[in-house]
Amino acid sequence: MSKNIYIIRKEHFNAAHRLRRTDWSDEQNERVFGKCANKNWHGHNFNLIVTVKGVPSQETGFVINLTTLSSIIKKEVLEVFDHKNLNEDVPYFKNGLASTENLAIVIWDLLEMPIEKEGGKLAKIRLEETENNFVEYYGGNEPF
Amino acid sequence: MSKNIYIIRKEHFNAAHRLRRTDWSDEQNERVFGKCANKNWHGHNFNLIVTVKGVPSQETGFVINLTTLSSIIKKEVLEVFDHKNLNEDVPYFKNGLASTENLAIVIWDLLEMPIEKEGGKLAKIRLEETENNFVEYYGGNEPF
Amino acid sequence: MSKNIYIIRKEHFNAAHRLRRTDWSDEQNERVFGKCANKNWHGHNFNLIVTVKGVPSQETGFVINLTTLSSIIKKEVLEVFDHKNLNEDVPYFKNGLASTENLAIVIWDLLEMPIEKEGGKLAKIRLEETENNFVEYYGGNEPF
Amino acid sequence: MSKNIYIIRKEHFNAAHRLRRTDWSDEQNERVFGKCANKNWHGHNFNLIVTVKGVPSQETGFVINLTTLSSIIKKEVLEVFDHKNLNEDVPYFKNGLASTENLAIVIWDLLEMPIEKEGGKLAKIRLEETENNFVEYYGGNEPF
Amino acid sequence: MSKNIYIIRKEHFNAAHRLRRTDWSDEQNERVFGKCANKNWHGHNFNLIVTVKGVPSQETGFVINLTTLSSIIKKEVLEVFDHKNLNEDVPYFKNGLASTENLAIVIWDLLEMPIEKEGGKLAKIRLEETENNFVEYYGGNEPF
Amino acid sequence: MSKNIYIIRKEHFNAAHRLRRTDWSDEQNERVFGKCANKNWHGHNFNLIVTVKGVPSQETGFVINLTTLSSIIKKEVLEVFDHKNLNEDVPYFKNGLASTENLAIVIWDLLEMPIEKEGGKLAKIRLEETENNFVEYYGGNEPF
């Protein structure tokens, strides 16, 4: 049996955002999004945990070199989102909602190909918005 | 492909319990349950981590509103177990053992329907009894 | 000897801010404040850890009731800063810099009197901006 | 100048307790102690962090051997409190309240002499009752 | 439906290692393994998290007694690797690379049978090398 | 009153070491240093937490720019110790014991002047060797 194994790298970024629909009244926004609807933004320290699947190389013992994986995450995600405003500074949520769920899906799409070019297979994204609120995304798959 | 994603909420409660069979001798209880058999109870800070599966709403970007999910957990689980005695104050372990495994199964049954009424699907319960002892339950499924 | 003891409560809030002087050029702001100068804001999950000093009451065993202390922090600090923009939504940094240092000093001034009214003495504020950046403030005192 | 340094050991124990005065009515107990007054007990995972002060030995580089310090804590504190009921199983709170403050003072008294016999000086006790509630005790001293 | 549940135990060990091929030049080792190639070793605090699958016993409420599981991990893994040099003190990496991936596979093979003898089924190994680098192994299976 | 405040930066490094006196027998080394005496080394993930004292600048709101502080720690400490053997690769413990206590004192001496050159005053070093073993050093002072 091939020895499939999962290698995981944790990175961090800080960003501002708000959850607010311009086609809704202030009342409706506050009813649905609560304090997250605040016009003047709020922000978070996001933890991003990226899982890559593969068989360890005979030559190096690595599924993917973690230095390489860390560089990919920094280039593709942290340079885009770190110390930024998710609604204003990036194109992904101009016409959509910067929920943690949607942010995780965008991050998957940014990471999938660059990781594949290095011989790994992106298997899972975990995005931690606060100490108590997290999202996990498996590229649309349903492992459970 | 539908964008299935998992949203996760962490809550806490403190409770007393013991692991002790009344049909066993003190010696047998201590041999099997060790210090957990202490007649006069001991207790824990439990972390409860609840995973809900779904497709983010186009309207809100949410699988389930985390304020709603948190309220369900507080109403269905924390009001029942927080600062309580698992053997004395709740009906679930009168004739059974308040092991972390059994507690996780009871919590699943308390949460499944209320979450479904809000449009989510309960996918996983993680219950942390101490810094080093945890249980995970997927409703009886075996994802791995 | 009186039994002085320190009781500590940890709370959380999320906020947006930026470090940027309007009397400086973009270049000067970026040279001094780096990514924190981003015009469109960024944000953090702040941990606030409040230490109160006193002698435990004979009647209750408490220096201060932690429910009371938590309520004071929520009323005086979290209602003011949680899910807010530190530069736009509160009066404290209109003409100053919303650095973690300055924020800790503002929080001390908000908490000192309400805690004293409950019979406690504010002894220390710890403010955690990220996993690696923290500030501690003892009301201007220098314990070490 | 002598090179005073502080060496710190973290240990854990689990215990049940309640905050309840027998000379008070149920209403008064609940008003003051809230959920902690529950007759049937609740419990916690306590973290105990012990700081010992001294000058490192030329011979070993140690202020105190951490294996020795850990053994002292296990013998003097964990064997007494772990998996026990703080009100029922130990003599310290028969006529008093098992608040975290009072528990920290009791633990100081249990550890001070045994640590001194090994050549160290007990400098600080930190007792963590939950993720958000802590107590620190310096033997009655007021470092800040 | 049978109530499959997962019980998890976390343990720790400290070890030295290096990532270095003797058939490669210093330059090649450093290019691939970076600082991890240092001839004189470096080391880590490893967290080992072991998941066992099963149906709780009617008699005890346990999938596997955590005291038993902890003893197995201590005997089979910690006695072998704790405070050891992974390249010099154990036979597993004499002719191979002590990468976290390979270490996780070796640990699986050490734990699988002893856990099965106690009636449990090893389902997952998680090995944490640093705060940001982790490996997960499911015995070669691919749950996602 | 001047507004003295403490700014804190946490960094990490991994290193190998052993506690072993060449002038002692194997038996004596093992009796005093236990598993830490292993000839072939073991290692740790060290957390280094550095506290700098000062009054926030009117111009920047900073006691010291955390980017500067982080750079100083990286240059003076991490480049020296990260992924190194504390006994073999650095000059500080050739004739002494690489205990956590002694390592903290060495780190203080490496950081004190570079931080002072940037206008800050080094106030405290905390060095975490494992999850349960820590050292704190105040430059020889005794704040408590």
Side-chain angles (χ1 to χ4, degrees):
Chain A
M1 183 173 56
S2 76
K3 296 288 187 187
N4 269 289
I5 201 162
Y6 298 74
I7 186 95
I8 301 163
R9 176 73 189 171
K10 186 177 181 184
E11 301 280 352
H12 314 265
F13 63 93
N14 310 313
H17 78 147
R18 68 180 175 201
L19 295 175
R20 189 175 189 86
R21 293 184 65 116
T22 51
D23 58 341
W24 282 5
S25 67
D26 283 5
E27 290 70 29
Q28 198 171 357
N29 272 300
E30 195 165 336
R31 197 176 53 246
V32 173
F33 297 117
K35 293 178 295 185
C36 299
N38 177 28
K39 254 182 220 170
N40 286 327
W41 323 99
H42 67 284
H44 298 288
N45 306 332
F46 289 94
N47 289 327
L48 171 62
I49 300 116
V50 176
T51 302
V52 173
K53 182 169 61 172
V55 177
S57 149
Q58 293 279 10
E59 198 184 29
T60 62
F62 291 160
V63 166
I64 189 171
N65 193 319
L66 279 172
T67 307
T68 308
L69 179 56
S70 175
S71 297
I72 291 173
I73 301 171
K74 280 180 179 135
K75 174 156 176 273
E76 304 294 336
V77 180
L78 272 57
E79 284 188 15
V80 177
F81 295 114
D82 189 31
H83 282 77
K84 295 291 171 57
N85 184 311
L86 299 181
N87 301 83
E88 298 285 303
D89 292 329
V90 298
Y92 307 105
F93 306 104
K94 296 283 184 196
N95 303 313
L97 285 154
S99 69
T100 317
E101 288 94 324
N102 287 341
L103 181 54
I105 295 171
V106 165
I107 289 172
W108 178 282
D109 292 338
L110 291 171
L111 286 175
E112 192 175 22
M113 293 309 302
I115 286 170
E116 200 163 314
K117 271 184 207 154
E118 294 293 332
K121 184 158 174 37
L122 181 59
K124 177 181 173 183
I125 293 285
R126 181 177 164 101
L127 192 58
E128 305 185 337
E129 192 192 46
T130 71
E131 287 194 323
N132 298 317
N133 295 345
F134 325 123
V135 152
E136 291 179 351
Y137 184 59
Y138 300 82
N141 291 329
E142 291 178 83
F144 57 89
Chain B
M1 184 175 54
S2 76
K3 296 289 187 188
N4 270 289
I5 200 162
Y6 298 74
I7 186 95
I8 300 162
R9 176 71 188 174
K10 186 178 179 182
E11 300 281 352
H12 314 267
F13 62 94
N14 310 313
H17 79 146
R18 69 179 174 200
L19 296 175
R20 188 175 190 86
R21 294 183 65 114
T22 52
D23 57 341
W24 282 5
S25 67
D26 283 5
E27 290 69 28
Q28 197 171 358
N29 272 300
E30 195 165 335
R31 198 175 52 245
V32 173
F33 297 118
K35 294 178 295 184
C36 299
N38 177 28
K39 255 181 219 167
N40 286 326
W41 322 100
H42 66 283
H44 297 289
N45 306 332
F46 289 94
N47 289 327
L48 171 61
I49 300 116
V50 176
T51 302
V52 173
K53 183 171 59 173
V55 177
S57 149
Q58 293 279 8
E59 197 184 30
T60 63
F62 291 160
V63 166
I64 188 171
N65 194 319
L66 279 173
T67 306
T68 308
L69 179 55
S70 175
S71 297
I72 292 172
I73 302 171
K74 280 179 180 134
K75 176 157 175 273
E76 304 294 337
V77 180
L78 272 58
E79 284 188 16
V80 177
F81 296 114
D82 190 28
H83 283 77
K84 295 291 172 58
N85 184 311
L86 299 181
N87 300 83
E88 299 283 304
D89 292 329
V90 299
Y92 307 106
F93 306 105
K94 296 282 185 197
N95 303 311
L97 285 154
S99 70
T100 317
E101 289 94 324
N102 287 342
L103 181 55
I105 294 171
V106 164
I107 290 173
W108 178 282
D109 291 340
L110 291 171
L111 287 174
E112 192 175 23
M113 293 309 302
I115 287 171
E116 199 163 314
K117 273 185 205 153
E118 293 294 333
K121 183 158 176 36
L122 181 59
K124 178 180 171 183
I125 294 285
R126 181 178 165 100
L127 191 59
E128 304 185 337
E129 192 192 46
T130 70
E131 286 193 324
N132 298 316
N133 294 346
F134 324 124
V135 152
E136 292 180 351
Y137 184 59
Y138 300 82
N141 290 330
E142 291 179 82
F144 57 90
Chain C
M1 183 174 55
S2 76
K3 296 287 187 188
N4 269 290
I5 201 162
Y6 298 75
I7 186 94
I8 301 162
R9 177 72 188 172
K10 187 178 180 183
E11 300 280 352
H12 313 266
F13 62 94
N14 310 313
H17 78 146
R18 69 180 174 200
L19 295 175
R20 188 175 190 86
R21 293 184 66 115
T22 51
D23 57 341
W24 282 5
S25 66
D26 284 5
E27 290 69 27
Q28 198 171 357
N29 272 300
E30 195 166 335
R31 198 175 52 244
V32 173
F33 297 118
K35 293 178 296 185
C36 299
N38 176 28
K39 254 182 220 168
N40 286 327
W41 322 99
H42 66 284
H44 298 289
N45 306 333
F46 289 94
N47 289 327
L48 171 61
I49 299 116
V50 176
T51 302
V52 173
K53 182 170 60 173
V55 176
S57 150
Q58 293 279 9
E59 197 183 29
T60 62
F62 292 160
V63 167
I64 189 171
N65 193 320
L66 279 171
T67 307
T68 309
L69 179 56
S70 175
S71 297
I72 291 173
I73 302 172
K74 279 179 180 136
K75 176 157 174 273
E76 304 294 336
V77 181
L78 272 57
E79 283 188 15
V80 177
F81 295 114
D82 190 29
H83 282 77
K84 294 291 171 57
N85 184 311
L86 299 181
N87 301 83
E88 298 283 304
D89 291 330
V90 299
Y92 307 105
F93 306 104
K94 296 283 185 196
N95 303 311
L97 286 154
S99 69
T100 317
E101 289 94 324
N102 287 341
L103 181 55
I105 294 171
V106 165
I107 289 172
W108 179 281
D109 292 339
L110 292 170
L111 287 175
E112 193 175 21
M113 294 308 302
I115 286 171
E116 201 164 313
K117 273 184 207 153
E118 295 293 333
K121 183 156 177 39
L122 181 58
K124 177 180 172 182
I125 294 284
R126 182 178 163 101
L127 191 58
E128 305 185 336
E129 192 191 46
T130 70
E131 286 193 324
N132 298 317
N133 294 346
F134 325 124
V135 152
E136 292 179 351
Y137 184 59
Y138 301 82
N141 291 329
E142 291 178 82
F144 57 89
Chain D
M1 183 173 54
S2 75
K3 296 288 187 188
N4 269 290
I5 201 163
Y6 298 74
I7 187 94
I8 301 161
R9 176 71 189 172
K10 186 178 181 183
E11 301 281 352
H12 314 267
F13 62 94
N14 310 313
H17 78 146
R18 67 180 175 201
L19 296 174
R20 188 175 189 86
R21 292 183 66 115
T22 52
D23 57 341
W24 282 5
S25 67
D26 282 6
E27 290 70 28
Q28 198 171 357
N29 272 300
E30 195 166 336
R31 196 175 56 246
V32 174
F33 297 117
K35 293 177 295 185
C36 299
N38 178 28
K39 255 181 220 169
N40 286 326
W41 322 99
H42 67 283
H44 298 289
N45 306 332
F46 288 94
N47 290 326
L48 171 61
I49 300 116
V50 176
T51 302
V52 173
K53 182 169 60 171
V55 177
S57 149
Q58 293 279 10
E59 197 184 30
T60 62
F62 292 159
V63 166
I64 188 172
N65 193 320
L66 280 172
T67 307
T68 308
L69 179 56
S70 175
S71 297
I72 292 172
I73 302 171
K74 279 178 180 137
K75 175 156 175 272
E76 305 294 336
V77 181
L78 272 58
E79 283 188 16
V80 177
F81 295 114
D82 189 30
H83 282 76
K84 295 290 170 58
N85 184 312
L86 299 181
N87 301 83
E88 299 283 304
D89 292 329
V90 300
Y92 307 106
F93 306 105
K94 296 282 183 195
N95 303 312
L97 286 153
S99 69
T100 316
E101 289 94 324
N102 287 342
L103 181 55
I105 294 172
V106 165
I107 289 173
W108 178 282
D109 292 339
L110 291 171
L111 287 174
E112 193 175 22
M113 293 308 302
I115 287 170
E116 201 163 312
K117 273 184 206 153
E118 295 292 332
K121 184 161 175 36
L122 181 58
K124 177 181 173 183
I125 293 285
R126 180 177 165 101
L127 191 59
E128 304 185 338
E129 192 191 47
T130 70
E131 287 194 324
N132 298 316
N133 294 346
F134 325 123
V135 153
E136 291 178 352
Y137 184 58
Y138 300 82
N141 291 329
E142 291 178 82
F144 57 89
Chain E
M1 184 174 55
S2 75
K3 294 288 188 188
N4 269 290
I5 201 162
Y6 298 74
I7 186 94
I8 300 162
R9 176 72 190 173
K10 186 178 181 182
E11 301 281 352
H12 313 267
F13 62 95
N14 310 313
H17 78 146
R18 68 180 175 200
L19 296 174
R20 188 175 190 86
R21 293 183 65 116
T22 51
D23 58 340
W24 283 4
S25 67
D26 282 7
E27 290 69 29
Q28 198 171 356
N29 272 300
E30 195 166 335
R31 197 175 54 245
V32 173
F33 298 116
K35 292 178 295 184
C36 299
N38 178 28
K39 254 182 220 169
N40 286 326
W41 322 99
H42 66 285
H44 297 290
N45 306 332
F46 288 94
N47 289 326
L48 171 61
I49 300 115
V50 176
T51 302
V52 173
K53 182 170 61 172
V55 177
S57 149
Q58 293 278 10
E59 197 183 31
T60 63
F62 292 159
V63 166
I64 188 172
N65 193 319
L66 278 172
T67 306
T68 308
L69 179 55
S70 176
S71 297
I72 292 173
I73 301 172
K74 279 178 180 136
K75 175 157 175 271
E76 304 294 336
V77 181
L78 272 57
E79 283 188 16
V80 177
F81 294 115
D82 189 30
H83 283 76
K84 294 291 171 58
N85 184 310
L86 300 181
N87 301 83
E88 299 283 303
D89 291 330
V90 299
Y92 307 106
F93 306 105
K94 296 281 183 195
N95 303 312
L97 287 154
S99 69
T100 317
E101 289 94 324
N102 287 342
L103 181 55
I105 294 171
V106 164
I107 289 172
W108 179 282
D109 292 339
L110 291 171
L111 287 174
E112 193 175 22
M113 293 308 302
I115 287 171
E116 201 162 313
K117 273 184 206 154
E118 294 293 332
K121 185 161 174 34
L122 181 60
K124 178 181 172 181
I125 293 284
R126 181 178 165 99
L127 192 58
E128 305 185 337
E129 192 192 47
T130 70
E131 287 195 324
N132 298 316
N133 294 345
F134 325 124
V135 152
E136 291 178 351
Y137 184 58
Y138 301 82
N141 291 329
E142 292 178 83
F144 57 88
Chain F
M1 184 174 55
S2 75
K3 296 288 186 187
N4 269 290
I5 200 162
Y6 298 75
I7 186 94
I8 301 162
R9 176 71 189 174
K10 186 178 180 183
E11 300 281 352
H12 314 266
F13 62 93
N14 310 313
H17 79 145
R18 69 179 174 201
L19 295 175
R20 187 174 191 85
R21 293 183 66 115
T22 50
D23 58 341
W24 283 4
S25 66
D26 282 7
E27 290 70 29
Q28 198 171 358
N29 272 300
E30 195 165 334
R31 197 175 54 244
V32 173
F33 298 117
K35 292 178 296 184
C36 299
N38 177 28
K39 255 182 221 170
N40 286 327
W41 322 100
H42 66 284
H44 298 289
N45 306 332
F46 288 94
N47 289 327
L48 171 62
I49 299 116
V50 176
T51 303
V52 173
K53 181 170 61 173
V55 177
S57 149
Q58 294 279 10
E59 198 183 30
T60 62
F62 292 159
V63 167
I64 189 172
N65 193 320
L66 279 172
T67 307
T68 308
L69 178 56
S70 175
S71 297
I72 291 173
I73 301 171
K74 279 178 179 136
K75 175 156 175 273
E76 304 294 336
V77 181
L78 273 57
E79 283 188 15
V80 177
F81 294 114
D82 189 29
H83 282 76
K84 294 291 171 58
N85 184 311
L86 298 181
N87 300 82
E88 298 284 303
D89 291 330
V90 299
Y92 307 105
F93 306 105
K94 296 283 185 196
N95 303 312
L97 286 155
S99 70
T100 317
E101 289 94 323
N102 287 342
L103 181 54
I105 294 171
V106 165
I107 289 172
W108 179 282
D109 291 339
L110 290 171
L111 287 175
E112 193 175 22
M113 294 308 303
I115 286 171
E116 200 163 313
K117 273 184 205 152
E118 294 294 331
K121 184 159 174 37
L122 181 58
K124 177 181 173 183
I125 294 284
R126 181 178 164 100
L127 192 59
E128 305 184 336
E129 192 192 45
T130 70
E131 285 194 325
N132 297 318
N133 295 345
F134 325 124
V135 153
E136 291 179 351
Y137 185 58
Y138 301 82
N141 291 329
E142 291 178 83
F144 57 89

